[in-house]
Amino acid sequence: MSKTLRELAMDAATRAHSPYSKAKVGAAVETDSGKVYQGCNVENSSFGGTICAERVAILKAVSEGQKKLARIYVYTVDGWPPCGLCLQVMTEFADPGLEVTIGDGAGKETRRTLGDLLPMAFTPGHLK
Ligand code: ZN
């Protein structure tokens, strides 16, 4: 049996490079073709070079030619939601109905749509 998105996100979190915040964040994104990509947060001593787990997973998918997200799972021990920048990047590659699941270390899961989390998103459609 294949691993669940939660298991893959938790697995990715173990690879976080977070020597400054000590936060371990993992993400797993499934694309419309059923492929899954994992991401962890990767901090940088410049701080500005830091990238969140969600964006790592999404950019891995896009760099492999997968440009339509179907679901995303974000894991932290404390159940942190995605930041605004990650929500904006999701908006580029997903519909407002994208299922975003936030999981914590106790097994609690909160499920929202991208549109719920970023209701007035700036979308590619604004530039047409
Ligand atoms: Zn983020």
Side-chain angles (χ1 to χ4, degrees):
M1 191 176 133
S2 62
K3 290 186 173 181
T4 65
L5 286 187
R6 176 180 170 81
E7 290 169 330
L8 291 167
M10 291 178 73
D11 176 57
T14 67
R15 293 188 290 278
H17 175 75
S18 53
Y20 312 107
S21 75
K22 313 292 187 208
K24 295 190 178 300
V25 186
V29 63
E30 183 177 339
T31 67
D32 64 344
S33 68
K35 294 192 174 182
V36 177
Y37 298 85
Q38 294 171 279
C40 64
N41 51 324
V42 181
E43 295 181 347
N44 186 277
S45 59
S46 73
F47 295 113
T50 295
I51 183 167
C52 303
E54 299 93 314
R55 279 180 287 143
V56 169
I58 293 166
L59 298 183
K60 283 169 71 177
V62 172
S63 70
E64 296 296 325
Q66 303 291 311
K67 293 189 175 181
K68 189 72 176 176
L69 309 181
R71 296 187 297 150
I72 187 165
Y73 195 107
V74 184
Y75 170 80
T76 56
V77 168
D78 295 323
W80 293 347
C83 77
L85 187 51
C86 287
L87 294 171
Q88 182 63 44
V89 171
M90 289 177 205
T91 298
E92 187 77 16
F93 302 106
D95 297 325
L98 176 74
E99 179 185 286
V100 181
T101 305
I102 301 156
D104 73 12
K108 181 184 173 200
E109 293 184 336
T110 302
R111 199 160 286 127
R112 297 284 187 273
T113 65
L114 176 58
D116 289 336
L117 296 169
L118 193 63
M120 288 185 68
F122 186 84
T123 70
H126 287 106
L127 298 179
K128 288 183 179 158

